Amino acid sequence: MYTSRDKFMRNIPTKNEALAKNLILDELFDLSLYKVFHKTASDPFRKILEELIPVETRHYRFWEDFFQIKIERLNLGRRLKLGLIALVSRLFGEKSMYLIL
């Protein structure tokens, strides 16, 4: 028995599939960013990130399940962006993390 989501996914145009992948990658990027910040953040900010990481994990998994597309790794552009942001946050400290978010 098909659900309405199954029917939607069978009819998803290629353009919308690209949008779906971008949405999932954006959620994965946000999750990865929170994890990177969590490694170096001080206590008050770290606790906030500990609350945000499970929420972002649920968002990421929801969209993967909704679109039935599994993406385990960021694409090259997002990996480079994440690396640059991580470098900036290490150089300029926690204040830069607040500005980035």
Side-chain angles (χ1 to χ4, degrees):
M1 183 171 155
Y2 288 104
T3 65
S4 60
R5 184 183 78 178
D6 295 329
K7 183 178 178 183
F8 170 75
M9 290 308 301
R10 283 184 287 138
N11 296 324
I12 190 168
T14 306
K15 187 175 184 180
N16 287 342
E17 186 174 339
L19 289 172
K21 287 179 181 178
N22 274 326
L23 177 67
I24 295 166
L25 283 167
D26 286 346
E27 294 293 341
L28 180 57
F29 178 83
D30 292 346
L31 175 60
S32 302
L33 182 64
Y34 296 159
K35 288 180 177 181
V36 165
F37 284 174
H38 182 265
K39 292 177 185 177
T40 58
S42 64
D43 238 7
F45 189 43
R46 178 174 282 166
K47 289 181 182 183
I48 293 169
L49 291 167
E50 286 172 358
E51 292 177 21
L52 286 174
I53 288 170
V55 171
E56 199 61 39
T57 300
R58 284 191 300 272
H59 291 169
Y60 164 62
R61 293 217 173 105
F62 170 82
W63 290 114
E64 274 192 327
D65 291 343
F66 181 83
F67 290 114
Q68 299 174 351
I69 299 172
K70 296 292 180 195
I71 300 175
E72 299 294 324
R73 187 173 182 205
L74 292 172
N75 61 8
L76 179 62
R78 285 180 176 85
R79 286 195 312 266
L80 291 172
K81 182 179 175 181
L82 182 63
L84 179 62
I85 290 172
L87 177 64
V88 167
S89 70
R90 286 189 187 114
L91 291 174
F92 297 105
E94 199 165 294
K95 290 182 182 180
S96 67
M97 292 180 199
Y98 282 105
L99 288 173
I100 290 166
L101 291 178

